[in-house]
Structure formats: C-alpha cells, structure tokens
Amino acid sequence: MFHHTAKYSYDDITIRPAFVSEISHRSECNPLLDNGYMPIFASPMSTVVDKENYSLFKNNNIIPILPRTLEYSLEERIDFAEDGNWAAFSLQEFQDTFVNDKCKLVLETPCKVLIDIANGHMDVLFNSVKKAKEIYGDMLIVMIGNIANPETYRKCYECKADYCRIGIGNGFGCLTSSQLGINYPMASLINEAYEMKIRIASIVADDEGKNYYEVKDKLPKIVADGGIRGYRDVIKALALGADYVMIGSEFAKLVESAALMYLKERTMTAPSNEALNKYRNNVRKLKNGFYFGNNNNISSNAYIGTELYKEFYGMASRQGQIDMNGEKTKTSEGVCKEVKVSTNIDKWSQNMKDYLRSAMSYLNITDVKNINPSNVETYRLSDNAKNSINK
C-alpha cells in the first residue's frame, strides 16, 4: 500500500515560543534530569566511546554506552554493566547471558544493557527481552531497537523493555536508507511514537484504574537515534516527544572521542599522530587553534594548528564489522568518513546546557523533562521558511 501522507525530518519543523514566559533568566532552567544527566546518550560506536573516555562523558552529564567490539570481551562488558554502567551486547550475547542462564548472574544492582542490533523489529528480540525480564525483573534495565515504525513501540512496551531506540538510516555513517530504501523521517517517527506512548498510557490507566502520569513514566523511554547535526536537533527531538537523544557523529568530532585523530599538515612543534591519540585528553581547542601539552598546562603547550581530523564510521560499515567480529561479515550498510575535530567535550557539554536553558526560557519551561508535545508547539515549515532557518 502506498501512503500519500508526507513525513518530516528535523529540518522540516520549527518550535514556537510560549505566549508569555515567566522565566526572567535562563539560569532558572534545569537542563539535567533527576539522574544528574542531560537527556543524551553517547552512541555505542567504536569511534565515539571507549573505556578511556567513558568517565569523561559521565562527568560532563552525558550517558555513554560501551560498544560491543572485540576490544571488550563479553565477560568484561557483563562486569561493566553489573557495576551500573551501560554496555552493548549482540542479541546472541544477550540470549546466552540473560535468557539461557549460562552465566546464572546474581544481580545486586540494576544491570544496564543495550541490545545493539540494526533491525529491532524481529519477534525473537521481543521474546528474548520478555523472558529475561521475567527472570531478572527491574534488576535488568534493557534498551532495544532500532525501530523505524511507530507502531512497533507497542511491542517494546509488551515485552517490558525500559528504553526503545528509534531511527533507521538517518545516521551520518549509515547507508541503510540510500541502499535499501528503508527509512522513516525522524521528526515524524519521534512524534508518532510519542503519540503511541500516550495512547497506551491512557488505555492502561483507564483499564487498570491507575494514575495516567505514573503509567506514562513507566512506559519505555523513547531514544531518538540518528540524524543529529547540531544542538538544535537535540532540542527539536525532545520537543517532538523523545525522552532521550542518542548522538554519534557529533561526538566523534570531539577531541576526546575514540575515533582516530590525525594531522594532515603539521607545524615544527606538533606531536606525532601516535602521541595525539595516546594523549588525546591533553589536546585543547582554544580560540586560535589546537594546543598540546602535559596536564593541560596551556602556557607551555606546543601549537598544533587550526585543523585536526578524525576517522568516523558506522558500525555497519566494513571497519565497524571488523571491530565487532574481526572480519567483514556482510554487505556494508555504513561508510567511513573524515570529520574535522570541532571542540572539547567539556565545551560541547556546556554549550548544550546553555542552549537547553535558553530554549526552555523561550518555552516557559524550567525542567528539561517537560520539553515534550504536551507543553511545546511545533510546526511544519514552508520551503521558503526552511531555507531561511536551516543555515
């Protein structure tokens, strides 16, 4: 069946400010959730997160997920998740560990697990999560996906998943849409998944005589994954109904990301590419370029230059498959790209907090969790308006 209804991406929509804002200064606005983090996940990609920068993301109020690469064994990732950190697993690893009871885990703290697969529409996924939740209950926190059909959110709810990752083919390093023609534009996908969430909450609350808001809070969190090209897309995703936003390529551009960093041209004092990557946390982006030195002592740093680059690729790319499996196992649905290093993680985080606060002051919202379609009006843009806004 061919549907004639148009679907929209982030660039197709805009957010309307509140009629009147009672907020006098953006400092009155809180960009952090109750858990102390912004509503942002760092994508479990080998060019984004590793053990070296995991704590850096957390210290900057961003939730990282350790990728499921050969660099980190299954046992290591299980231990990592048992300690209350997020770690990624394949579906087979999840089944062997949490469903087939091979490990017979005794969980003392909630174990945070992402089942990191490309096609989150498979019935075997929902059945596996349902069985695992029957075994471990709330001691196992599960994120599943990716899905690109808002109707599938219902399956995520029925299997008792805690988080639902939505978005297929929108990522900067993903070729799924261009090669397969499979996609659902993110703005429409987020909003329609949110509407499904609201519908389920209303039905459950009526049928079981429960408080609507308590039911809604317990439904799977919507994680918008893919297509984030800047701060404004994060805010748009939240306004459309996402509980969290997952970011890949924008984080790969950070100095401290796990992506390989290099100089095309170097000054006489510039360190080697090997040193840049080994001591990447000592590279600082200042106004006139990048500097390198021990313990971030800027006054004695060597001038590197104005342009640093990173190698970024999707996990479905040839190199991504090698990182996970040791070899290319299927036709690539991802691409490797050169990206220019943008800034340091602490500067990005501070910018994001400031932009969230500023947006909230326009919207008359003081708590970031209240940026959602119940409190925010979004509109489709005309072509002329789209071109004038998306500069």
Side-chain angles (χ1 to χ4, degrees), residues 22-268:
E22 299 173 354
I23 298 168
S24 301
H25 193 276
R26 67 182 186 181
S27 62
E28 300 171 33
C29 303
N30 178 20
L32 305 181
L33 299 169
D34 294 340
N35 58 14
Y37 294 98
M38 289 184 284
I40 297 175
F41 281 97
S43 182
M45 306 176 81
S46 53
T47 53
V48 175
V49 178
D50 60 13
K51 273 198 168 182
E52 184 177 343
N53 66 20
Y54 197 96
S55 61
L56 281 176
F57 277 107
K58 292 182 70 174
N59 291 340
N60 283 281
N61 310 106
I62 299 163
I63 308 170
I65 304 178
L66 196 69
R68 61 177 184 94
T69 62
L70 293 177
E71 183 178 358
Y72 307 115
S73 67
L74 173 60
E75 291 73 19
E76 189 173 7
R77 282 177 281 128
I78 292 173
D79 290 341
F80 204 69
E82 284 186 293
D83 286 339
N85 301 299
W86 279 96
F89 298 81
S90 70
L91 178 56
Q92 187 62 59
E93 289 173 335
F94 179 81
Q95 291 172 324
D96 291 343
T97 304
F98 299 101
V99 179
N100 300 333
D101 206 27
K102 287 185 178 181
C103 294
K104 298 181 179 179
L105 299 179
V106 178
L107 302 179
E108 298 179 355
T109 58
C111 187
K112 297 176 181 178
V113 172
L114 163 66
I115 305 176
D116 187 26
I117 57 177
N119 182 0
H121 296 263
M122 297 183 293
D123 204 40
V124 63
L125 169 65
F126 305 123
N127 290 335
S128 297
V129 172
K130 185 177 181 180
K131 291 177 182 177
K133 294 292 281 188
E134 288 172 354
I135 297 170
Y136 293 101
D138 292 339
M139 296 302 288
L140 181 63
I141 308 300
V142 185
M143 184 188 301
I144 64 174
N146 283 37
I147 67 168
N149 186 328
E151 297 291 330
T152 311
Y153 177 86
R154 181 182 295 277
K155 296 291 292 184
C156 299
Y157 157 72
E158 290 173 348
C159 73
K160 300 187 183 304
D162 301 281
Y163 295 78
C164 176
R165 194 160 63 144
I166 68 174
I168 291 176
N170 300 291
F172 186 63
C174 185
L175 292 176
T176 300
S177 296
S178 58
Q179 301 290 41
L180 277 64
I182 302 295
N183 180 253
Y184 207 102
M186 282 301 292
S188 294
L189 178 59
I190 295 168
N191 193 241
E192 291 174 35
Y194 177 82
E195 290 174 352
M196 175 62 71
K197 180 179 181 179
I198 297 304
R199 200 175 308 140
I200 293 172
S202 298
I203 294 172
V204 172
D206 289 343
D207 289 349
E208 301 181 10
K210 295 181 178 179
N211 180 280
Y212 164 80
Y213 294 101
E214 291 181 0
V215 171
K216 179 174 174 286
D217 286 344
K218 292 181 180 180
L219 295 183
K221 305 294 186 185
I222 297 171
V223 182
D225 178 25
I228 299 297
R229 300 291 184 265
Y231 304 106
R232 69 181 179 189
D233 291 342
V234 174
I235 298 168
K236 287 182 180 182
L238 298 175
L240 289 162
D243 295 288
Y244 290 83
V245 178
M246 184 170 285
I247 300 176
S249 63
E250 289 298 298
F251 283 162
K253 298 174 184 177
L254 299 178
V255 172
E256 299 89 350
S257 78
L260 182 67
M261 183 162 55
Y262 55 92
L263 274 165
K264 288 184 178 180
E265 299 179 6
R266 63 181 61 250
T267 63
M268 293 294 292

Side-chain angles (χ1 to χ4, degrees), residues 240-304:
L240 289 162
D243 295 288
Y244 290 83
V245 178
M246 184 170 285
I247 300 176
S249 63
E250 289 298 298
F251 283 162
K253 298 174 184 177
L254 299 178
V255 172
E256 299 89 350
S257 78
L260 182 67
M261 183 162 55
Y262 55 92
L263 274 165
K264 288 184 178 180
E265 299 179 6
R266 63 181 61 250
T267 63
M268 293 294 292
T269 58
S272 66
N273 289 339
E274 181 181 3
L276 282 174
N277 286 281
K278 185 175 182 180
Y279 303 106
R280 67 180 189 254
N281 293 342
N282 290 335
V283 177
R284 297 295 297 173
K285 175 73 168 69
L286 298 182
K287 186 174 182 180
N288 297 319
F290 290 90
Y291 291 78
F292 179 87
N294 293 325
N295 301 319
N296 292 331
N297 184 0
I298 304 301
S299 62
S300 63
N301 281 4
Y303 180 67
I304 294 175

Side-chain angles (χ1 to χ4, degrees), residues 8 11-14 379-390:
Y8 305 106
D11 284 349
D12 293 318
I13 66 125
T14 192
Y379 291 87
R380 176 190 172 189
L381 291 165
S382 68
D383 288 339
N384 286 336
K386 189 190 311 182
N387 294 333
S388 67
I389 291 174
N390 298 317

Side-chain angles (χ1 to χ4, degrees), residues 298-312:
I298 304 301
S299 62
S300 63
N301 281 4
Y303 180 67
I304 294 175
T306 57
E307 292 185 354
L308 278 171
Y309 294 87
K310 292 247 183 178
E311 183 182 64
F312 170 75

